[in-house]
Amino acid sequence: DSGVTQTPKHLITATGQRVTLRCSPRSGDLSVYWYQQSLDQGLQFLIQYYNGEERAKGNILERFSAQQFPDLHSELNLSSLELGDSALYFCASSDGGVGHEQYFGPGTRLTVT
Amino acid sequence: AQKVTQAQTEISVVEKEDVTLDCVYETRDTTYYLFWYKQPPSGELVFLIRRNSFDEQNEISGRYSWNFQKSTSSFNFTITASQVVDSAVYFCALSENQAGTALIFGKGTTLSVSS
């Protein structure tokens, strides 16, 4: 158990809908990362937050957004969903230091039908 | 640009065989960090090891060992006396000092160990 929690574990929704994925980091970690894992793109970095502020952006679509709250939990919002958004979404946390290991949650499997 | 290549897509071995998973990286940064993660069939990503670019010392942890060679930009992972429980997808990842702390992952190597 990494100490990172993600809810829900599975999510099935229709195209055009909006969903919210939730992540709670390990105790003491200030940084949260979101990654997307799909068969064609592999594991891709989406976005990072550090202590409530956006720190870095990767290949995140404009239809996607995230935030980190004062209690350090984070939410990833996916809107106008398309079939191609079906993937496993991971949250990871770390203390935010450069080069420090990230600990991953169990992931949320999103299926868009 | 940073890149991680895991040329072996799938490897199949029989229990007790040794197996090496290859990882080659590209970076222009002089300070960088390399990682290995394991993704078992249950799906979670498990951290295995981190190495920084200034530490080329090889590491051994039980049946696992890692060989870091800057001259060939490689960070290979060897499992000695493989076991069925080692069956998983293994990912090599890179983080650059100048690019922040996000991980750039390779495509992964699927290891199947049969009894």
Side-chain angles (χ1 to χ4, degrees):
Chain A
D1 187 345
S2 66
V4 179
T5 60
Q6 287 187 250
T7 55
K9 284 195 79 170
H10 301 276
L11 203 45
I12 302 174
T13 189
T15 54
Q17 295 298 304
R18 172 189 168 96
V19 297
T20 297
L21 313 184
R22 183 187 167 105
C23 166
S24 292
R26 290 189 323 159
S27 176
D29 282 352
L30 298 178
S31 202
V32 169
Y33 307 78
W34 287 96
Y35 292 85
Q36 178 195 59
Q37 184 177 30
S38 61
L39 280 173
D40 51 345
Q41 298 292 328
L43 265 164
Q44 285 200 103
F45 166 66
L46 296 179
I47 197 164
Q48 177 201 0
Y49 278 81
Y50 179 82
N51 204 20
E53 301 286 326
E54 182 184 302
R55 177 66 68 89
K57 255 184 176 178
N59 298 322
I60 188 165
L61 299 172
E62 283 192 18
R63 300 183 285 107
F64 296 1
S65 65
Q67 54 185 327
Q68 186 179 28
F69 296 86
D71 66 352
L72 300 178
H73 91 271
S74 177
E75 292 181 358
L76 179 66
N77 300 296
L78 315 176
S79 61
S80 302
L81 285 167
E82 302 175 359
L83 295 178
D85 297 327
S86 296
L88 190 51
Y89 291 85
F90 284 107
C91 168
S93 77
S94 81
D95 61 8
V98 175
H100 290 190
E101 57 268 31
Q102 297 175 21
Y103 292 90
F104 284 75
T108 292
R109 182 165 295 282
L110 173 66
T111 304
V112 182
T113 61
Chain B
Q2 67 271 40
K3 186 179 176 183
V4 176
T5 302
Q6 295 180 256
Q8 305 150 308
T9 308
E10 293 183 24
I11 301 176
S12 293
V13 299
V14 178
E15 255 192 326
K16 297 182 184 172
E17 278 188 47
D18 298 347
V19 57
T20 296
L21 310 182
D22 297 333
C23 172
V24 173
Y25 61 91
E26 291 177 33
T27 177
R28 291 181 182 162
D29 210 338
T30 54
T31 303
Y32 53 89
Y33 306 85
L34 296 163
F35 304 80
W36 276 94
Y37 281 84
K38 173 183 180 179
Q39 186 174 37
S42 52
E44 73 274 23
L45 279 162
V46 179
F47 166 75
L48 295 178
I49 191 171
R50 172 186 67 138
R51 259 287 173 267
N52 72 55
S53 53
F54 299 109
D55 183 3
E56 283 194 76
Q57 198 167 10
N58 292 332
E59 175 139 351
I60 298 174
S61 174
R63 295 183 298 106
Y64 294 173
S65 62
W66 291 269
N67 180 259
F68 175 31
Q69 291 198 333
K70 285 178 77 170
S71 60
T72 55
S73 296
S74 65
F75 186 43
N76 297 337
F77 173 29
T78 297
I79 302 175
T80 302
S82 59
Q83 299 177 2
V84 173
V85 292
D86 295 327
S87 297
V89 183
Y90 291 87
F91 292 94
C92 181
L94 166 70
S95 169
E96 295 178 322
N97 193 46
Q98 293 188 20
T101 57
L103 296 175
I104 306 300
F105 284 90
K107 294 289 188 186
T109 297
T110 300
L111 174 64
S112 298
V113 183
S114 57
S115 56

